[in-house]
Amino acid sequence: MKKIFVPLKRVPDWQLKVKPSADGLTIDQTNLKWIINTFDEIAVEEAIRIRDKGVGFTEVVLCMIGPKEGSEQLRSALAMGADRAIHIITDEDIDSSQATKILAHIVKRDNYDLVIIGKQAIDSDSGQTAQRLSVRLAYQQASFASKIDVDGESLTVVREVDGGLETLKLKLPAVVSTDLRLNEPRLRSLPGIVAAKKKPVEEIPMSDIPDVGSKKVKVRKLSVPPSRPAGQKVSSVSELISKLKEEKLIG
Amino acid sequence: MSSILVYIESLGGQLPKSSLPVISAALKAKSVLSINTVIGVLIGGQGTDEAAKLASEYGLDKILFIKSENAENYMAASYASVFAQIAKDNNSTLLMGPASSKGRDFLPRVSEILDAPQASDVIEILAGYTFKRPMYAGNLIAEVELEGDIKVLTVRTSAFPQPEKLSVSEVTEINIPVLKDENSVFVSYDTVKNERPELGEADIIVSGGRALKSKENFESVMYPLADVLGAAIGASRAAVDSGYAPNDWQVGQTGKIVAPKLYIAVGISGAVQHLAGMKDSKVIVVINKDPEAPIFEIASYGLVGDLFTVVPELIEALKAAKL
Ligand SMILES: Cc1cc2nc3c(=O)[nH]c(=O)nc-3n(C[C@H](O)[C@H](O)[C@H](O)COP(=O)(O)OP(=O)(O)OC[C@H]3O[C@@H](n4cnc5c(N)ncnc54)[C@H](O)[C@@H]3O)c2cc1C
């Protein structure tokens, strides 16, 4: 009876352009729409598929660290078919090291065999938590997975790396981080949404987690990158060729 | 005395040009942060000694290398523990490496081992351990300050110049054991044979999107364009997901970040995640049949038209221009 743990982050929808707040310390909160981090949603999908294969995993447990309002995204992930969830409640904006300490605490408390987690959050784009968690738990690590095969006590993971694909074989327990091509997350079904409303969610205030440490990565300023100088339309291939010659890009 | 420790990627006795700018970033950090010593570290199997010699020509204060059978195949856990050990032995307070697939994989482990904060994908080094890095798929640039005795960075190499050949540094082999963990086994590395320049090294990149419609079209349209320009080939996520191009060619937030002299985007709409990977290119040429496609907003030169007629015409014109 093995269990899969899937951490989730709530992030601003990438389809809406974010702007810095007036003080430049965070993002403008007006008109934000929140979604489950794209890579975490892929992690939820993969965990459900592994559970449903009948290879010894019986439970998929989600864990979100974030404000109370995040329960909406947590329910949406439960509607995909996860079994239950843990919500670590905080309004603080924590760094990867703190997130790792919180997640490791829960994994140790409940003894999960496999952690599947997004390779990065699409807001901070830091890409650290999976690897940090693997160290902290002394679990095996495979990051940037585009294929996971589970076979009893071991996993074969195909990783997207520079130059091609790498395959690793790991013994459980392990932490695997997801890349985009791992799967396509399912749409929520109506029965799934209804069932999700009744699934257990354990709420824990972040202050109840010991030794989270202080934040050591501090955003001092957010700004919009300088825009490129306006370009121009060319009307034909020959005009393009003469522009490229002017730029000395072709001979 | 504290030092900067910089991981230099090597591959069979060679230094991939795409990750070398990490040396420039380390030298920059040395002067901005007034740290006395920068130590370059290479870890690998066969040929690592030769790679270390090559790395010694760029003005770092010292080069250390570990050559071990157990490091022949990269493994995150063993690379991280060796690198963390070298950091401790040298009293290093700033650790850095390229944001390559290896750097992104093992440096966060080093950060955790040393309980250190990390800034990922750094594009600029400012005073006071403050670093510029993109967030939100490059929609925003953050200045982040790291606090703590030890700090770790991954560096976006396309944002730093190739290092110049300067004074030659002393090269020393060190013998920290590289441990093998039976519970994590390397099985295989499947690489796409490619005679063209690497994406991270090329002066010119031609990149194709979903509009190519098939692998066959991608090959018959994009390959000849690349070849006439001596260019590397990139692709959008849609093109990779559809199997027109290998995963390693993807440009964007979750693929390669590139900044060549010339980037030609063919049949790519310009989603923010794609732009995140190429908008710092010097000259951007866009070929798209939809005049409203967002990618035109960042184009230096935009040509509205059907790629299946425009690209073959362009190839002929480029051939003619060469004569
Ligand atoms: C978390 C996340 C990460 C992502 N990471 C990346 C990434 O790293 N890289 C990336 O590229 N994408 C990434 N994406 C996907 C991205 O959002 C887009 O879906 C993708 O870039 C679209 O690819 P495309 O431009 O080829 O396809 P489309 O958006 O379908 O665009 C095709 C374009 O071709 C044009 N066209 C069609 N026919 C012709 C013709 N005959 N001649 C000329 N033009 C034609 C159309 O006008 C259109 O503009 C990511 C998405 C998410 C959510």
Side-chain angles (χ1 to χ4, degrees):
Chain A
M1 291 250 291
K2 292 193 284 276
K3 295 185 288 188
I4 310 176
F5 184 68
V6 183
L8 292 185
K9 187 174 182 188
R10 175 185 101 125
V11 297
D13 189 344
W14 55 267
Q15 296 183 54
L16 304 175
K17 224 182 167 112
V18 292
K19 291 188 288 278
S21 59
D23 64 5
L25 292 176
T26 177
I27 53 166
D28 184 357
Q29 302 289 317
T30 46
N31 298 323
L32 277 187
K33 192 172 157 272
W34 297 91
I35 59 169
I36 302 165
N37 175 38
T38 316
F39 293 96
D40 299 344
E41 197 171 17
I42 293 170
V44 177
E45 176 66 34
E46 195 66 17
I48 293 169
R49 289 188 194 184
I50 292 173
R51 181 198 62 195
D52 293 348
K53 269 188 193 139
V55 289
F57 290 90
T58 52
E59 205 182 22
V60 173
V61 181
L62 311 178
C63 181
M64 176 183 277
I65 308 172
K68 192 93 180 132
E69 301 82 64
S71 63
E72 191 187 328
Q73 286 72 40
L74 198 51
R75 292 281 171 196
S76 163
L78 282 169
M80 294 171 71
D83 298 284
R84 60 185 175 89
I86 300 163
H87 191 172
I88 312 293
I89 297 184
T90 176
D91 288 330
E92 261 176 67
D93 185 25
I94 57 173
D95 66 23
S96 317
S97 159
Q98 293 174 297
T100 301
K101 286 171 177 150
I102 296 168
L103 296 171
H105 174 80
I106 301 292
V107 172
K108 283 183 191 152
R109 185 194 75 171
D110 300 348
N111 259 317
Y112 298 97
D113 306 275
L114 175 60
V115 179
I116 309 182
I117 176 172
K119 74 164 182 180
Q120 75 198 69
I122 59 168
D123 53 355
S124 58
D125 281 333
S126 280
Q128 301 175 26
T129 307
Q131 298 89 321
R132 282 181 180 270
L133 198 53
S134 158
V135 169
R136 199 154 184 93
L137 294 168
Y139 280 20
Q140 303 303 318
Q141 168 182 315
S143 55
F144 325 144
S146 64
K147 193 163 181 283
I148 306 175
D149 280 315
V150 185
D151 159 33
E153 291 300 313
S154 60
L155 300 175
T156 304
V157 182
V158 179
R159 307 179 54 232
E160 295 208 4
V161 298
D162 293 344
L165 296 170
E166 184 191 83
T167 306
L168 294 181
K169 202 167 167 144
L170 313 179
K171 282 248 172 65
L172 291 173
V175 177
V176 180
S177 81
T178 61
D179 217 317
L180 284 175
R181 272 173 281 281
L182 184 57
N183 62 48
E184 256 186 65
R186 67 194 65 191
L187 300 173
R188 282 39 157 191
S189 68
L190 196 57
I193 294 170
V194 172
K197 292 196 173 128
K198 297 203 200 77
K199 289 180 178 170
V201 175
E202 179 190 0
E203 295 191 347
I204 307 174
M206 193 174 92
S207 51
D208 284 6
I209 311 277
D211 306 322
V212 176
S214 62
K215 185 169 171 171
K216 292 194 237 161
V217 181
K218 298 200 169 144
V219 174
R220 296 298 185 205
K221 188 173 156 210
L222 283 178
S223 56
V224 177
S227 55
R228 289 181 69 88
Q232 62 186 91
K233 287 259 166 58
V234 292
S235 57
S236 66
V237 165
S238 54
E239 196 186 343
L240 176 60
I241 294 279
S242 54
K243 294 293 177 195
L244 294 180
K245 279 185 178 159
E246 273 171 38
E247 299 265 9
K248 299 198 165 52
L249 288 163
I250 57 172
Chain B
M1 221 170 52
S2 66
S3 63
I4 297 175
L5 202 65
V6 53
Y7 169 70
I8 300 171
E9 203 156 316
S10 62
L11 204 71
Q14 299 290 320
L15 301 174
K17 207 176 144 205
S18 56
S19 65
L20 271 184
V22 76
I23 294 177
S24 312
L27 291 171
K28 180 80 204 262
K30 174 179 168 164
S31 69
V32 171
L33 301 167
S34 312
I35 297 176
N36 281 324
T37 319
V38 190
I39 306 170
V41 174
L42 294 91
I43 307 168
Q46 282 281 328
T48 309
D49 43 350
E50 281 141 55
K53 232 177 264 156
L54 296 175
S56 71
E57 296 173 2
Y58 298 102
L60 298 182
D61 298 293
K62 224 197 289 186
I63 298 286
L64 303 176
F65 74 91
I66 290 186
K67 183 176 155 186
S68 159
E69 234 172 63
N70 285 352
E72 189 75 49
N73 294 313
Y74 162 83
M75 291 299 276
S78 51
Y79 272 53
S81 52
V82 166
F83 195 73
Q85 186 59 49
I86 301 172
K88 284 181 198 159
D89 293 346
N90 289 280
N91 199 9
S92 307
T93 49
L94 183 65
L95 282 49
M96 53 209 284
S100 59
S101 60
K102 281 181 193 152
R104 285 185 286 123
D105 188 41
F106 89 83
L107 285 165
R109 292 188 69 94
V110 174
S111 305
E112 188 64 23
I113 292 169
L114 302 172
D115 197 17
Q118 176 182 322
S120 305
D121 252 321
V122 166
I123 58 172
E124 213 178 308
I125 294 161
L126 308 175
Y129 289 96
T130 302
F131 306 94
K132 278 197 191 178
R133 59 176 302 264
M135 286 172 73
Y136 300 91
N139 274 317
L140 297 179
I141 303 295
E143 287 178 20
V144 296
E145 185 181 344
L146 301 186
E147 289 177 356
D149 298 338
I150 300 175
K151 295 138 186 123
V152 181
L153 313 177
T154 63
V155 171
R156 176 172 291 188
T157 48
S158 65
F160 291 87
Q162 284 292 334
E164 284 168 40
K165 296 231 161 137
L166 296 165
S167 57
V168 177
S169 34
E170 178 195 342
V171 179
T172 313
E173 179 165 14
I174 44 176
N175 289 306
I176 296 174
V178 180
L179 298 178
K180 252 196 167 151
D181 184 340
E182 259 112 66
N183 294 321
S184 274
V185 181
F186 170 87
V187 179
S188 61
Y189 174 56
D190 301 300
T191 178
V192 198
K193 285 240 159 37
N194 192 356
E195 303 299 319
R196 297 187 185 88
E198 291 293 322
L199 266 181
E201 305 178 359
D203 284 338
I204 304 180
I205 294 173
V206 300
S207 205
R210 194 195 315 266
L212 270 306
K213 289 210 184 77
S214 71
K215 186 167 193 279
E216 292 68 36
N217 288 343
F218 197 98
E219 287 173 6
S220 66
V221 174
M222 299 305 295
Y223 288 19
L225 178 61
D227 293 338
V228 69
L229 287 164
I233 305 181
S236 72
R237 173 188 171 193
V240 174
D241 283 1
S242 311
Y244 309 165
N247 66 287
D248 182 44
W249 293 7
Q250 181 175 313
V251 171
Q253 180 191 17
T254 48
K256 289 264 161 59
I257 312 285
V258 297
K261 293 197 177 109
L262 173 61
Y263 188 93
I264 305 184
V266 178
I268 293 176
S269 62
V272 28
Q273 297 92 353
H274 188 79
L275 303 188
M278 45 66 77
K279 67 174 182 223
D280 293 326
S281 306
K282 213 161 149 264
V283 172
I284 297 173
V285 169
V286 167
I287 297 168
N288 195 305
K289 72 173 180 190
D290 173 9
E292 303 298 319
I295 190 144
F296 280 116
E297 286 165 28
I298 60 149
S300 320
Y301 303 107
L303 181 52
V304 179
D306 187 324
L307 74 92
F308 293 104
T309 54
V310 171
V311 176
E313 221 185 291
L314 179 60
I315 294 170
E316 287 316 309
L318 286 167
K319 281 183 186 157
K322 273 190 174 173
L323 294 178

